[in-house]
Amino acid sequence: MKQQTTLVEVENLVIKFPVRGGDRKKKFITPVDYVSLEIKKGEVLALVGESGSGKTTIGRALVRLLKPTEGNIIVDGKNVNTIKGKDLMNYRKVAQMIFQDPFGSLNPVKSIESHLKFPLKKHQGFKGLALDQKITDLLLQVGLTPVNEIRKKHPHELSGGQRQRLAIARALAVNPQFIVADEPTSMLDVSIRAGILQLMNELKRDLGLSYLYITHDLASARYFGDRIMVLYGGKVMEIADSKALIKNPINPYTKLLLSATPGSDIKVNLKDMNNEAPDLSEGRKGCPFVHRCPLATDICKETMPDLVEQKENHFVACHHAEDSIEKMIFN
Amino acid sequence: MEEKQPVLELENVSVAYDSEAGMVQAVNNVSLKVYENTIVGLIGESGSGKSTLGNTIMHLMKNNAVLTSCTIKVMGQDIYRLNKKDLRKFRWSQMSMVFQSAMNALNPVLTIEDQILDVFFSHDKNISRKEANRRAVELMDIVSIDSVHLKSYPHELSGGMRQRIVIAIAIALDPKLVIMDEPTTALDVVVQRSILDKIKEIQKVKKFAILFISHDFSLVTELASKVAIMYAGRFIEITDSHSLSQSERHHPYTQGLIKAIPHLTSEDVTIEGIPGNPPNLVELPSGCAYHPRCPHAFDLCMRERPETRLVENREIECHLYETVEK
Ligand SMILES: Nc1ncnc2c1ncn2[C@@H]1O[C@H](COP(=O)(O)OP(=O)(O)O)[C@@H](O)[C@H]1O
Ligand SMILES: Nc1ncnc2c1ncn2[C@@H]1O[C@H](COP(=O)(O)OP(=O)(O)O)[C@@H](O)[C@H]1O
Ligand SMILES: [Mg+2]
Ligand SMILES: [Mg+2]
């Protein structure tokens, strides 16, 4: 089913932001701290984690809306880490991003068709009748029908779900290979979400697209993701095939996250859990989950564990992974 | 056998908003009974009328809201027959509500203590400062927040902690009915879960009834024993929550929701969207408001609004099912 060629390879990605410190000295946070990942052609990597864990920042770096502080982003064999100007323009044809709030990325005074016209002309050189036909094809492909009515409308005349479909059509207009979808359904009504997920799934199947699918909903991560990567405090805690991760989570944080999700078999008593947000400050030590982890020991405070392959294709960053496999913790 | 008296009784409640675009039919002829020591869920998409109904039960409606003839009884008391003074007493002591986004609406310039004490003092002129303080500490304990935070200001607390404070305020006077309007919606799953567990735990001890409003289907079905599903202002189905694990013999909208939600662990991972969009409440579709999106709709659905019928103990508004005497 899966092809084996790698499309996106990220090595030790670090992203640093300045923040104002209390003592007026310039301080930094690193919400993305030595993150490595790989996405194959036609594969969906779901990225899950609570808000503030660094998901959007990784997504923005991967489509190069942000410049990484450290590390490498290699897409289709090219290092796009530091590209700019024309190279960056060309990279926009390879990688596109879909945002949580489609309205924010649409132009209220432009018609639906002109949202598609520009990228089709500029990036793919379509014109005249062919351009017209291509717009029709794209609208049909994303389920925006009746096409002739929709083309002339403006974004405010579309429903939330239709706007997200338009955002997808616009991303497709450059004929990309890779899409970062950042919580694309979280602002939509429940009855509309499934349609968008189905559409993204069809596009994956028909066009062989690769996705980084960012979500805080593990159930949709399992539905759409071939693999799931769990992020906490800017660090990768666990990566595995979706089913394996949901069924046999190993990292204590993943277990916690799963137990909190409706429909999970894992039950945990969270009643007096410490819900403190993780430390993102630059140069922090140890595992970000140490304050909340029932297995934490001294070493967890000192050093961040490496991602280790605990089972086939199942990578876990935890000093006590073996313990965690054996024990039902949190009881 | 004598029937138990419900904590909350709604009979043919309709609420419309007078707006520039016309009358917005936000709640349309809904009836429901909620008994003591139960959690009833109210599920609906955004704009389906959930908050309007909650606010109406509290007798805290917006200025442009119009309530048509109906009965809303809490503990047997018709809320709309109370005078202002009695209503103020009744609210919070008999019924209370955790309002949508309330955790962001705590007064930023007052400490948590001031805001909790205010509830005690405004309902009991004779309560001593000492007694009120004691009860504030007790409340903090119930919601598992260290009482040092009584001296904190809202911005010093995390979202999850503020939401616990809001819940503490709602249960401060031991009401019999607590309406919770999307109490965990903006929170991360782990925080959300710890608050839900806390709500369940308190409810078990205090035995009040909860009307739990949410758009999150999986969450509501897990928490509540009975669920009302709202579509375009109507309860299109009222059913036991465990029935919702299967999609057969439900309202087509309920079936659509069940099929639209990916499940975490089931082997079957296909999902199916519901076509179309929720209707405009100013110009509701004729007949059954769901007919334009319904895969089973036939001509009668366009012409006539279906009455409620009982299908295996589920109250369903749909022409697909035989009308059986209630
Ligand atoms: N441009 C920025 N400048 C400073 N801090 C930022 C910026 N973007 C994000 N952050 C911070 O980085 C952290 C991670 O944010 P984000 O990637 O948006 O997380 P997520 O998408 O997982 O919720 C947060 O603490 C956020 O406040
Ligand atoms: N003050 C108001 N004036 C006019 N329309 C309103 C007002 N408040 C709510 N509405 C409309 O009433 C409908 C129901 O709203 P609401 O009860 O908030 O739904 P829910 O809580 O299910 O999201 C929506 O269409 C909303 O736009
Ligand atoms: Mg984000
Ligand atoms: Mg609401």
Side-chain angles (χ1 to χ4, degrees), chain A residues 239-264:
Chain A
I239 310 184
D241 285 341
S242 299
K243 277 193 181 166
L245 187 124
I246 301 289
K247 214 164 166 208
N248 299 308
I250 296 176
N251 190 294
Y253 175 65
T254 315
K255 290 188 179 184
L256 175 66
L257 198 60
L258 262 164
S259 74
T261 305
S264 155

Side-chain angles (χ1 to χ4, degrees), chain B residues 180-228:
Chain B
M180 299 191 174
D181 193 357
E182 312 255 11
T184 61
T185 294
L187 302 167
D188 274 314
V189 287
V190 175
V191 180
Q192 171 171 313
R193 168 64 49 183
S194 70
I195 288 180
L196 289 177
D197 287 350
K198 185 49 76 184
I199 291 172
K200 276 194 264 186
E201 183 191 307
I202 301 171
Q203 194 276 336
K204 226 179 237 160
V205 175
K206 305 251 176 193
K207 299 195 167 30
F208 49 74
I210 300 179
L211 181 65
F212 189 93
I213 300 176
S214 174
H215 68 275
D216 189 331
F217 193 90
S218 326
L219 197 146
V220 173
T221 51
E222 209 177 277
L223 185 73
S225 53
K226 183 160 101 175
V227 174

Side-chain angles (χ1 to χ4, degrees), chain B residues 3-266:
Chain B
E3 211 185 301
K4 268 195 300 182
Q5 188 198 316
V7 172
L8 170 68
E9 195 173 357
L10 304 176
E11 237 180 79
N12 306 325
V13 177
S14 296
V15 187
Y17 291 105
D18 197 353
S19 80
E20 269 176 37
M23 291 303 274
V24 181
Q25 204 37 263
V27 174
N28 198 339
N29 206 16
V30 307
S31 301
L32 177 74
K33 288 192 176 91
V34 178
Y35 293 95
E36 78 168 336
N37 201 11
T38 56
I39 304 181
V40 172
L42 176 50
I43 302 178
E45 300 183 61
S46 66
S48 58
K50 306 182 296 299
S51 297
T52 303
L53 182 59
N55 297 341
T56 305
I57 297 169
M58 288 296 283
H59 204 326
L60 285 169
M61 294 186 300
K62 309 228 180 82
N63 288 332
N64 61 337
V66 185
L67 177 69
T68 55
S69 72
C70 68
T71 317
I72 299 177
K73 285 185 181 163
V74 174
M75 300 305 291
Q77 173 64 56
D78 190 331
I79 299 302
Y80 284 79
R81 283 172 194 255
L82 287 170
N83 64 35
K84 262 199 177 149
K85 185 162 154 262
D86 291 340
L87 177 65
R88 211 174 305 134
K89 276 223 169 108
F90 198 83
R91 234 188 255 141
W92 306 116
S93 65
Q94 297 292 313
M95 59 176 186
S96 70
M97 182 158 168
V98 172
F99 293 94
Q100 195 169 347
S101 323
M103 65 182 201
N104 302 322
L106 285 166
N107 191 328
V109 300
L110 292 181
T111 62
I112 300 304
E113 182 170 40
D114 289 340
Q115 306 193 43
I116 294 179
L117 292 186
D118 185 55
V119 182
F120 293 128
F121 290 134
S122 63
H123 277 81
D124 183 358
K125 295 263 172 323
N126 300 319
I127 191 170
S128 70
R129 174 91 198 179
K130 199 170 154 212
E131 171 64 7
N133 267 323
R134 190 191 63 74
R135 287 172 64 183
V137 170
E138 189 182 282
L139 269 180
M140 294 292 272
D141 194 43
I142 290 174
V143 296
S144 299
I145 297 184
D146 193 316
S147 55
V148 300
H149 289 300
L150 281 170
K151 302 290 177 205
S152 299
Y153 289 89
H155 74 264
E156 297 171 312
L157 305 180
S158 69
M161 283 164 99
R162 276 181 309 193
Q163 190 60 3
R164 283 164 189 255
I165 299 291
V166 171
I167 291 167
I169 291 173
I171 62 169
L173 301 176
D174 275 327
K176 300 290 183 297
L177 170 70
V178 183
I179 301 169
M180 299 191 174
D181 193 357
E182 312 255 11
T184 61
T185 294
L187 302 167
D188 274 314
V189 287
V190 175
V191 180
Q192 171 171 313
R193 168 64 49 183
S194 70
I195 288 180
L196 289 177
D197 287 350
K198 185 49 76 184
I199 291 172
K200 276 194 264 186
E201 183 191 307
I202 301 171
Q203 194 276 336
K204 226 179 237 160
V205 175
K206 305 251 176 193
K207 299 195 167 30
F208 49 74
I210 300 179
L211 181 65
F212 189 93
I213 300 176
S214 174
H215 68 275
D216 189 331
F217 193 90
S218 326
L219 197 146
V220 173
T221 51
E222 209 177 277
L223 185 73
S225 53
K226 183 160 101 175
V227 174
I229 296 153
M230 205 168 191
Y231 186 79
R234 297 184 73 87
F235 287 166
I236 51 93
E237 178 165 348
I238 300 176
T239 182
D240 283 343
S241 63
H242 59 75
S243 76
L244 294 167
S245 56
Q246 297 285 327
S247 66
E248 289 87 35
R249 312 276 291 166
H250 287 291
H251 191 284
Y253 175 61
T254 313
Q255 293 176 330
L257 286 179
I258 293 172
K259 290 185 195 150
I261 295 162
H263 288 273
L264 191 62
T265 50
S266 65

